[in-house]
Amino acid sequence: MNGQETNGHEVKGWCPGALRPMMSGDGLVVRVRPFGGRLRRAQADGIASLAAAHGNGFLDVSSRGNIQIRGVTQEKHGALIEGLRGMGLIDPTPEIESRRNILVAPFWQPGDETELLTAELTEQLASAEAPDLPGKFGFAIDCGRAPVLQDASADIRLELDAGGGLILVADGMTTGKPVTQDNATQEVITLAHWFVDHAGEATRMKALVAQGSTPEGAFVPRQKGSYIPAPGYTPNGAIAGLAFGQLRVETLSTLAKHGGLRLTPWRLILVESARQLPKIEGVITNPANPLLRITACTGAPGCTQAFGKTRSLGKALAPHLGDTGMLHISGCTKGCAHPRPAPLTLTAQADGYALIRDGKAGDTPSLSGLSPDDLKDHL
């Protein structure tokens, strides 16, 4: 899909992958999509080593539960891919990689419904019969007793209803179609084909549903998710926080020493079986840390489309954020890091920062032309 211009900025319309990286201000962004949302210890440590050798030493955990290696040059990309392929982290083709946008709720046990359905869907999306989907179209396997991924980006979801039955949900609908473990992933593929047949100009399921097109058989009410992600300890292991989802290779390697890693869309990492994590540089364990309530894209100079810095600004503003509320800082009006409305958004512009309340990065601001020093007075 070709990029489009929005407010002078190019909207790519697709997400980077490993086989199809995206150029940014600090080099290629190589997005690794862990199979099943999980990295074995050796895989995580291997990614850290490869990122140190072929990137700039920085990694991102994305809002789709993937890990991005930053600062890769064209010359080193091939060697990086060979290293990742040797660890079983590369899809056969860029087309299969693009389709395999599967978000997995991290609270599963080996051999349970979530693991089995994820493996089946991965296989079906790699088949020749899989639909040709838009670049950002995605799937969520959210089969815990209560859903936890309803605020994460996905177009087709598998959830449990209030009675514990499995339902297939088209994003944007309040009801789902009853399915079974035996037919669930085939129903997912059927719904994906339905989207392709009915989409028209729509590139996401929610937009199509908003136009009045709804699939048949969705009559079971969805549960309303109430999960609030935060660092802490769970029966599956310890959840570690990352400011803005960014970490250095040393941090990833250290986390891998404590267990396998499950990536989440909340810019948190679940360290399997860990009950207590030592102090690790760059890791947030205090759920009250205000940095966890600030979402920020790469910003300048890492992104060529950004008008200003974002993450260094977020660190400076964190002590002034107060006990509640969420802040989104965007380098431009695209709002890549948080495309939905936020209680408070700061958008970098050519003449300073714009402040938007209860809106998105590209919405009409309440104030404009603010300097970084001005901003703390408006939080």
Side-chain angles (χ1 to χ4, degrees):
M1 183 177 297
N2 294 328
Q4 297 177 337
E5 294 289 330
T6 300
N7 292 330
H9 297 286
E10 184 182 7
V11 179
K12 300 288 187 182
W14 54 278
C15 294
L19 297 174
R20 190 188 181 196
M22 185 179 288
M23 182 58 71
S24 190
D26 57 354
L28 292 174
V29 177
V30 178
R31 178 177 291 187
V32 180
R33 306 181 185 195
F35 287 85
R38 177 180 185 266
L39 293 171
R40 300 192 305 272
R41 286 185 178 190
Q43 289 176 322
D45 195 52
I47 288 174
S49 296
L50 288 170
H54 303 296
N56 61 12
F58 285 95
L59 303 140
D60 294 320
V61 175
S62 78
S63 61
R64 288 177 178 260
N66 301 312
I67 191 160
Q68 299 181 159
I69 301 170
R70 301 198 66 93
V72 178
T73 64
Q74 293 281 6
E75 293 74 21
K76 291 187 174 183
H77 180 243
L80 173 60
I81 293 301
E82 287 309 304
L84 294 169
R85 182 174 282 116
M87 293 187 290
L89 290 168
I90 297 296
D91 291 278
T93 68
E95 292 74 23
I96 293 174
E97 177 186 68
S98 178
R99 286 197 296 268
R100 190 173 58 81
N101 282 326
I102 306 175
L103 194 55
V104 184
F107 307 117
W108 50 270
Q109 298 293 338
D112 72 3
E113 193 170 49
T114 293
E115 187 179 41
L116 294 173
L117 291 174
T118 301
E120 287 181 13
L121 183 57
T122 298
E123 184 177 350
Q124 294 202 35
L125 289 172
S127 74
E129 291 73 33
D132 184 16
L133 295 164
K136 293 193 175 184
F137 197 95
F139 307 85
I141 309 293
D142 195 10
C143 300
R145 188 64 194 85
V148 298
L149 297 178
Q150 290 185 341
D151 290 332
S153 177
D155 297 272
I156 297 177
R157 305 170 184 271
L158 287 173
E159 299 176 352
L160 298 187
D161 63 20
L166 195 60
I167 58 173
L168 174 69
V169 177
D171 193 45
M173 296 187 65
T174 58
T175 56
K177 179 181 180 179
V179 294
T180 67
Q181 184 174 317
D182 290 337
N183 70 3
T185 57
Q186 184 54 56
E187 290 282 354
V188 167
I189 297 299
T190 299
L191 181 55
H193 279 291
W194 175 89
F195 172 83
V196 171
D197 292 341
H198 293 80
E201 295 298 315
T203 59
R204 303 300 300 270
M205 182 70 80
K206 191 171 186 178
L208 180 59
V209 168
Q211 295 170 10
S213 293
T214 55
E216 295 180 356
F219 61 87
V220 178
R222 298 174 68 184
Q223 293 191 79
K224 179 63 176 175
S226 58
Y227 177 72
I228 300 175
Y233 299 99
T234 76
N236 300 91
I239 297 180
L242 304 166
F244 320 119
Q246 187 174 75
L247 68 165
R248 290 194 58 85
V249 293
E250 297 87 352
T251 305
L252 180 63
S253 183
T254 301
L255 286 172
K257 289 178 171 59
H258 296 276
L261 306 181
R262 300 183 188 182
L263 305 186
T264 77
W266 313 306
R267 297 181 171 89
L268 305 172
I269 294 179
L270 189 152
V271 185
E272 292 179 342
S273 302
R275 291 293 174 266
Q276 197 166 24
L277 291 174
K279 183 177 178 61
I280 301 172
E281 185 176 356
V283 171
I284 298 172
T285 56
N286 179 6
N289 191 316
L291 284 171
L292 295 170
R293 292 183 282 111
I294 301 177
T295 300
C297 62
T298 301
C303 176
T304 56
Q305 300 195 60
F307 282 111
K309 295 183 178 181
T310 54
R311 291 174 176 175
S312 58
L313 178 62
K315 290 178 180 179
L317 293 177
H320 305 280
L321 189 56
D323 296 331
T324 60
M326 181 262 183
L327 170 64
H328 172 207
I329 306 176
S330 183
C332 72
T333 56
K334 291 193 300 179
C336 298
H338 188 80
R340 299 176 298 281
L344 193 64
T345 297
L346 298 174
T347 301
Q349 298 179 326
D351 60 347
Y353 290 83
L355 184 148
I356 300 104
R357 297 190 184 277
D358 298 315
K360 297 183 288 188
D363 289 349
T364 302
S366 303
L367 296 169
S368 297
L370 298 172
S371 72
D373 292 336
D374 295 331
L375 293 173
K376 63 181 183 296
D377 297 326
H378 296 281
L379 298 182

